[in-house]
Amino acid sequence: TARADAELDKLIANPANWAAQAGDYANHRYSELKQVHAGNAKNLQVAWTVSTGVLRGHEGSPLVFGDTMYIHSPFPNKVIALNLKDQTFKWKYEPKQDNNVVPVMCCDTVSRGLAYGDGKILLQQADTTLVALDAHTGKVVWSVKNGDPKIGETNTNAPHVFKDKVITGISGGEFGVRGRLIAYDLKTGKTVWTAFSTGPDEDMLFDPATTMTWTDGKMAPVGKDSSLKTWKGDQWKLGGGTTWGWYSYDPKLNLVYYGSGNPGTWNPSQRPGDNKWSMTLFARDLDTGKARWVYQMTPHDEWDYDGVNELVLADLNIKGKKVPSVVHMDRNGYAYTLQRETGELLVAEKFDPTINWASKIDMKSGRPVVNAKYSPATTGPDVNVKGICPSALGTKDQQPMSYDRKSGIFLVPTNHVCMDYEPFQVEYTAGQPYVGATLAMYPTPKSHGGMGNFIAWDAAAGKILWSKPERFSVWSGALATAGDIVFYGTLEGYLKAVSIKDGKELWKFKTPSGIIGNVFTYLFEGKQYVGVYSGIGGWAGIGMAAGLENSSDGLGAVGGYRDLAKYTDLGGTLFIFALPSN
Ligand code: PQQ
C-alpha cells in the first residue's frame, strides 16, 4: 500500500499550500512565495475576513491546500472547512466538551491548530480528546483520549503528522501532571508508543547505554535511572515536564524533536535535585519513541522556564563546516544550537543581553552558571526575590520563530519582561493548581521601555543581527518569505511586514484584536495571500481574555500588560491580505 505520508510530503513540497502548522516538518515557517516582496508589501490590503465565532486567544494558523482552508478556534475547538472560491463553509465540526476543562487550563483556552495526513484533519481538543476528521466531510473517523482533565490534564498543542504517525503532547505543568509525548497510528488511532519525561528508564523509552547527553565536553550515555536519581522519593510522579509546544521531524534521521516543560511545583525548595528530564530537549526515533539524545537546559528550574519552544532544523555553516543543526530559543533567555544527529552542544548564547538569572552557559558541563542573587532556591521559600530577568514568560514563549532559508537568519518574536518571584509550600491535590509561587511581571527596567522585541538571530555565531523594539511582547509566530520580508503580529493588533535585511518596517495594518496567531501564506488561483488570526489571549493576553485586566493575583497577574486595554479588546477573526489586482 502507498505510504500515507507520501501525499503530505508532496503537499508540503509545494509552496502554494500551507499543509502543516509550520509549513513543513522542520519548523521553518518559511515560504518560497515572492509575489509579495520588500518592494510592494506596502500595498497589501484586506482580501477577506471570517469570524470563528469565538472571542478568545487565537494561536496557530489554518491549513490550506487545494481549494480548501481548514480553520480552528480556541475552546470549544471548532473546525471549519472553508471553500477558498467563495469563502462559504463546506463543513463545521463543533465538539461537545465539558466546560470544566476551562478552569484547569493554565494560560487561556488556546489551541495551536490542526494537522493533516492520509485524508484526515487531526484536532487535539482541550479535553484531551484527539480526533481524526474526514477532510472531505468533517465526520469523525477515529477518536482517542490521551489524558484526564480531572487531574489537570488538558491540551493546547497542535497534533503533528510525521510519516504514518500522529504525535501529540499534554499540558498541565501547573497541576502536577506527568509530561509525555504520545505517537498514534494515523490510520487507526491506536497508540504506538508513549514516552514520559520523568520516571523509570522504561517509561521514558531510555536505553541507559545508548541514550546520550552532553557530559564534560562530549556526548556520553545517560546511565541507569538518570531521571529517578534526580528526584526526592516519588516526586517524579507529579514532576511536570509537559509537552505542550511544537514538534519537528527529520525524515532522513527519522528523529522527532521537542522540549519538555517546567518541573512541578514552582517552589524549588520542595523538589531538590536536577529534576530530570524536565526542561529538556529530546530527539527520539519516530518509529519506536526511543530517546537518541537529551539535553537539559535548566536543571532544577527555579523560574518556570519551560523548555517546550520549537526546535528548528537547519544546516548551518559553523566555523567553515556545514553542520546538521537544531536551533532552539529557550524561555530561559539562551539560544541553543546543537548537532541534531548527535546532540552535541555547539552554541549557547543570550538572545536578550539584559537577562540576569545566569551569567552564562558553561560549555563544558552544558549547565547554566546561576546568579545566587536571582535564585529563589538559594534564598529559600517565603522570600520575594526581586528583579529576575527574564520573567516566567521567558525571553520567548510559545510564539514560534521563522528561519529564512535564503539568508540563513532566524527571525524571532521575544518578550522583554522581568519578575519578582516568591515561592511557598504547596500540597498536591489532584486537579488543583500545584504552583507554589506568586509572581509579578513588568517591563525590563532601564531598557527601551517596551515589553518585547522582534530580533534577527545568527544561530551559528550566537549573535543578534538587529532588534526592533515593540511596546508589548511579540506573542505571534513569524513568517519569512523569499520576498525578503518577515511578517509578525503584535498584541495591540498590528500585522507588520519588515525587511529581513535590516528590520525596517515596510507595512502595518491594525486588526480589531491583539494578534497571538502565526502568520501563514499560500497561493490560490495564481495569487499570493498572507493571513493571520486576530484574537488576543494566551498567557500575555490572558487578563484581556479572562476579563481580569485589573486582577493582581494568580496566574492572571501579568502586570505590565494591563495597558493593552487602551489598544484592543477580545476578537476571533481570520484576516487574509493580498496585493490589489489591477
Ligand atoms: N501557554 C501559553 C500561551 O498559549 O500563551 C503560555 C504558556 C502556556 C506558558 O508560559 C506556560 O508555562 C504553559 N505551561 C503549560 C504547562 O506547564 O503544562 C501549558 C501551557 C499551555 O498548554 O498553554 C502553557
Side-chain angles (χ1 to χ4, degrees), residues 26-27 248 257 281 309-316 318 324-330 335-340 347 401 403 408 410 412 457-460:
N27 265 335
S248 44
Y257 300 89
L281 303 181
N309 294 351
E310 71 284 4
L311 286 87
V312 180
L313 281 41
D315 294 333
L316 300 178
I318 300 178
S325 307
V326 73
V327 178
H328 168 89
M329 317 288 279
D330 197 60
Y336 299 86
T337 303
L338 294 93
Q339 213 281 16
R340 73 171 176 268
V347 179
M401 60 180 162
Y403 173 58
F410 291 78
V412 193
W457 180 252
D458 176 340

Side-chain angles (χ1 to χ4, degrees), residues 59 112 156 171-174 242 244 262 306 331 397 475 538-539:
E59 290 183 353
R112 298 191 188 88
T156 59
S171 297
E174 278 59 62
T242 49
W244 53 276
N262 61 284
D306 292 43
R331 283 258 282 270
D397 200 285
W475 213 261
W539 197 8

Side-chain angles (χ1 to χ4, degrees), residues 535-580:
I536 198 165
W539 197 8
I542 194 175
M544 188 73 66
L548 298 170
E549 293 91 319
N550 299 310
S551 137
S552 62
D553 52 28
L555 288 174
V558 188
Y561 296 93
R562 245 169 251 146
D563 278 359
L564 274 169
K566 288 188 203 145
Y567 296 89
T568 193
D569 210 328
L570 301 181
T573 308
L574 175 66
F575 270 79
I576 303 295
F577 299 87
L579 294 171

